[in-house]
Amino acid sequence: MVERQSPLTPIFRPAVHSNDVGSISITLSEVTPLSIVEAACWPGLNERLTAAIQEVTGLSVDTTPNAGVVGRGTAAFSIGPDRYLVSGEEDLSARLARVLSEETGTVTDLSHGRTTFRVSGTRAEWVLSKLFAIDFSPAVFPVGEGRATAHHDIFAQIQRSDAAQFDLYVFRSFARAFWNTLCTAAEEVGYEVIEA
Amino acid sequence: MLIPCPHCGPREVSEFSYQGDATRTCPELTSTDVKAWYDYVYNRPNPAGPHREYWQHSGGCRAHLIVTRDTRTHEIHDVAFARAALNRAGEQA
Ligand SMILES: [Zn+2]
């Protein structure tokens, strides 16, 4: 496996950036997992796809739109009809490819093509609402679920990984620019950059 | 303008790409009927009212959709996946 370097390396600095009243409401970190894989199936075979994801990750993900599950060191969520984004250990892509035959669907390793950011804290919904035109309230975006959306031309796949925590998967080539945007959006509420 | 994507729910139009008139039918590829090809490639009725269109949710689930939109009000009368098999799966659920 080729050694991976974070696209944030030149600018990433763990630090506290309190707002003008001295408070800190969210933390930002990079949490890119060892493997990021898109698993897709042919029409009508969604049950077989979710069974394959369960066999490999242990995650029982629903076939309904936007469904997702967060596990220990692994996660999966719907990113479109018959398509899931699955993250986990280094061998994830090979293990999925072994159980997902070409008759059922396809496995695409995106590990080197995506960067994952974690936004957590009491004002996470507020800050993300500045960037994306979707509803982040827990009533319509519950824990585990995923959304595919975009901030201008920066495409983002977002999973709510905890009550006040979101994981954002963006294209690696946009990651540094998007990180700067995220930090700027967070200035109002105060933020801390932490090492994952 | 919001388009209610059948996978993602209502999303703002900036997430979508217009993919053209969905009322046209392509002539047989071996056809030499110049009028039929002219109509397919160039001729657009541009109605003031409901219009059947292809849209892609390119800034979202990336599905291709068939949208019936009122060109006067941007009211969306109907949305379905362009891939018919997905709509049938939705009906069963
Ligand atoms: Zn969509």
Side-chain angles (χ1 to χ4, degrees):
Chain A
M1 193 57 124
V2 180
E3 187 75 11
R4 244 194 307 170
Q5 278 220 328
S6 167
L8 295 190
T9 302
I11 59 163
F12 185 86
R13 304 272 179 279
V16 169
H17 302 264
S18 50
N19 67 358
D20 56 3
V21 293
S23 68
I24 302 259
S25 300
I26 64 169
T27 59
L28 305 177
S29 53
E30 187 197 342
V31 294
T32 310
L34 286 171
S35 279
I36 303 169
V37 176
E38 180 170 324
C41 68
W42 312 119
L45 302 179
N46 210 320
E47 307 276 345
R48 274 156 68 176
L49 173 59
T50 50
I53 292 170
Q54 177 156 28
E55 186 179 334
V56 171
T57 63
L59 300 172
S60 172
V61 59
D62 214 76
T63 56
T64 52
N66 306 314
V69 194
V70 180
R72 194 181 286 271
T74 182
F77 61 100
S78 153
I79 52 169
D82 299 335
R83 291 160 49 230
Y84 294 86
L85 198 74
V86 189
S87 64
E89 292 304 315
E90 196 158 359
D91 58 353
L92 177 65
S93 173
R95 290 174 60 213
L96 268 170
R98 271 200 293 278
V99 298
L100 198 65
S101 71
E102 285 167 11
E103 287 72 41
T104 304
T106 58
V107 174
T108 311
D109 193 329
L110 304 172
S111 310
H112 292 253
R114 300 286 184 276
T115 299
T116 312
F117 297 136
R118 176 164 289 170
V119 181
S120 52
T122 52
R123 303 304 295 282
E125 288 175 26
W126 173 268
V127 169
L128 291 176
S129 296
K130 298 181 185 188
L131 304 175
F132 301 101
I134 63 171
D135 191 342
F136 286 97
S137 69
V140 294
F141 192 169
V143 173
E145 280 201 359
R147 298 285 184 276
T149 182
H151 171 67
H152 294 278
D153 283 332
I154 299 186
F155 191 62
Q157 291 162 335
I158 306 176
Q159 183 175 36
R160 188 183 206 115
S161 51
D162 209 339
Q165 181 172 291
F166 298 87
D167 293 347
L168 286 69
Y169 297 74
V170 298
F171 290 147
R172 180 190 161 89
S173 53
F174 288 144
R176 201 185 303 166
F178 184 72
W179 174 261
N180 285 328
T181 305
L182 200 54
C183 291
T184 306
E187 277 173 7
E188 178 209 359
V189 301
Y191 66 100
E192 181 173 6
V193 173
I194 59 167
E195 205 85 54
Chain B
M1 177 175 154
L2 294 174
I3 297 178
C5 171
H7 182 86
C8 305
R11 295 292 181 89
E12 68 161 8
V13 68
S14 67
E15 290 191 1
F16 296 84
S17 313
Y18 182 63
Q19 305 263 288
D21 187 335
T23 63
R24 302 175 298 153
T25 43
C26 186
E28 279 290 318
L29 293 178
T30 52
S31 168
T32 54
D33 182 342
V34 173
K35 172 73 167 61
W37 278 109
Y38 176 82
D39 285 346
Y40 176 67
V41 177
Y42 297 110
N43 213 356
R44 299 289 178 273
N46 193 21
H51 190 224
R52 213 171 125 85
E53 304 170 329
Y54 289 115
W55 287 80
Q56 187 193 6
H57 193 189
S58 47
C61 67
R62 304 197 56 79
H64 292 266
L65 310 173
I66 294 177
V67 176
T68 306
R69 174 182 69 100
D70 192 313
T71 58
R72 296 164 303 187
T73 59
H74 293 321
E75 186 186 347
I76 307 294
H77 295 296
D78 189 57
V79 186
F81 291 112
R83 199 174 88 192
L86 281 169
N87 300 320
R88 286 198 293 276
E91 281 160 23
Q92 285 159 10

